[in-house]
Amino acid sequence: MNIDNLPTPLYIAHRGLSARFPENTLAAFAGAADAGAQMIELDVTLTNDRKLVVIHDDTVDRTTNGSGAVRGLTMKTLGQLDAGSWFDPRFKTQRLPTLTQVLDMAKGRLLVNIEIKPEAVDPHSPDDAVERQILALVREKKMVEDVLVSSFDWRVLKKLRRLDPTIAIGLLADVPADDRLFDWIEQVTAFSWHPDYRVLTRVQVEKVHGVGARVFPYAVNGQIDTGGMLAMGVDGMMVDDSRQMTIQ
Ligand code: G3P
Ligand code: CA
């Protein structure tokens, strides 16, 4: 990922443009591209048969017509659920996508911020560990330069860095920048810090820039103070709605 090739600010379509489309579906990601987003954000976890599926919650209850834990269901079963009608009946054909499907639609069109959900992380990092599968897939698709991998579980990002010296890594956090953050930025050679926008200050932005990392705050429930964030000097931010992408 070359920051010099990215627009500033970089608007990252959160779960696709989740205010306008059923989150984390191909319709949401295509809609984000059509609205002019350069990067999409998505959530990845593992299914019962250890496939990479794109969904935010631990269960399918909120965003599909099914029920139960994602970890208890196979990709085949998950892929048959209706992942669009809960949002609007016109999206009834939407399914929970695999990460492969999303990368295929994004290639050459969108950069991708892959958030690894902490529930998918295996402490012993087996051959099919989530970080190993993601890296293998991204390499197979020749998209290492197109992805930014983030997580609230920074240990999995450290494992990823050991596996690949160049892939872009983002540290997600819901607490202000502190000594621990700066230690981890160095440990994983972080590309960026992704804080909850509510904990951010201009001084923190300056400090993180001072160690060479970018700052991409994320929205909570779609609410983000776009102008306030830009005034602090952030490099971009996660947005749920295309209307939030208009300020340059
Ligand atoms: O990646 C930033 C943001 O997506 C983290 O929060 O809960 O929307 O995954 P959440
Ligand atoms: Ca996310």
Side-chain angles (χ1 to χ4, degrees), residues 36 39 78 102 107 115 117 130 134 146 151 160 164 166 169 195 199 209 211 219 224 231 234:
M39 183 183 281
L78 290 163
V102 180
K107 190 171 171 69
E115 180 187 343
K117 302 312 280 184
V130 65
I134 289 172
D146 300 336
S151 186
L160 184 64
D164 190 289
T166 65
I169 285 176
V199 303
H209 281 168
V211 294
I224 194 162
V234 301

Side-chain angles (χ1 to χ4, degrees), residues 154 171 173-186 193 195 199 201 204 207-208 211:
W154 296 354
L171 296 166
D174 55 9
V175 294
D178 55 13
D179 290 347
R180 181 170 173 265
L181 174 74
F182 290 100
D183 181 41
W184 275 86
I185 287 175
E186 192 178 332
W193 176 48
V199 303
T201 65
Q204 290 173 49
K207 282 186 178 172
V208 173
V211 294

Side-chain angles (χ1 to χ4, degrees), residues 10-12 14 194-200 215-230 232 234 236-241 243-245 247:
L10 175 67
Y11 288 111
I12 305 169
H14 185 227
H194 303 187
D196 180 333
Y197 88 98
R198 295 172 300 183
V199 303
L200 197 56
V215 182
F216 300 119
Y218 66 86
V220 175
N221 298 328
Q223 300 302 311
I224 194 162
D225 176 9
T226 314
M229 293 297 104
L230 293 176
M232 285 184 203
V234 301
M237 66 197 84
M238 318 272 165
V239 295
D240 288 309
D241 196 331
R243 280 178 305 186
Q244 297 168 305
M245 302 198 302
I247 303 174

Side-chain angles (χ1 to χ4, degrees), residues 2 8 13 22 31 36 56-57 59 68 133 146 149 160 167 224 237 247:
N2 184 349
T8 305
H56 178 271
D57 296 0
T59 76
Q133 289 200 53
D146 300 336
V149 183
L160 184 64
I167 196 164
I224 194 162
M237 66 197 84
I247 303 174

Side-chain angles (χ1 to χ4, degrees), residues 103-144:
L103 293 185
D104 284 342
M105 76 78 59
K107 190 171 171 69
R109 193 175 179 198
L110 288 162
L111 302 172
V112 184
N113 174 198
I114 301 170
E115 180 187 343
I116 302 176
K117 302 312 280 184
E119 301 76 25
V121 177
D122 188 310
H124 306 299
S125 198
D127 288 347
D128 65 351
V130 65
E131 70 278 8
R132 290 180 183 275
Q133 289 200 53
I134 289 172
L135 183 60
L137 179 62
V138 167
R139 283 177 171 168
E140 178 195 323
K141 301 291 178 189
K142 299 193 173 12
M143 292 180 73
V144 174

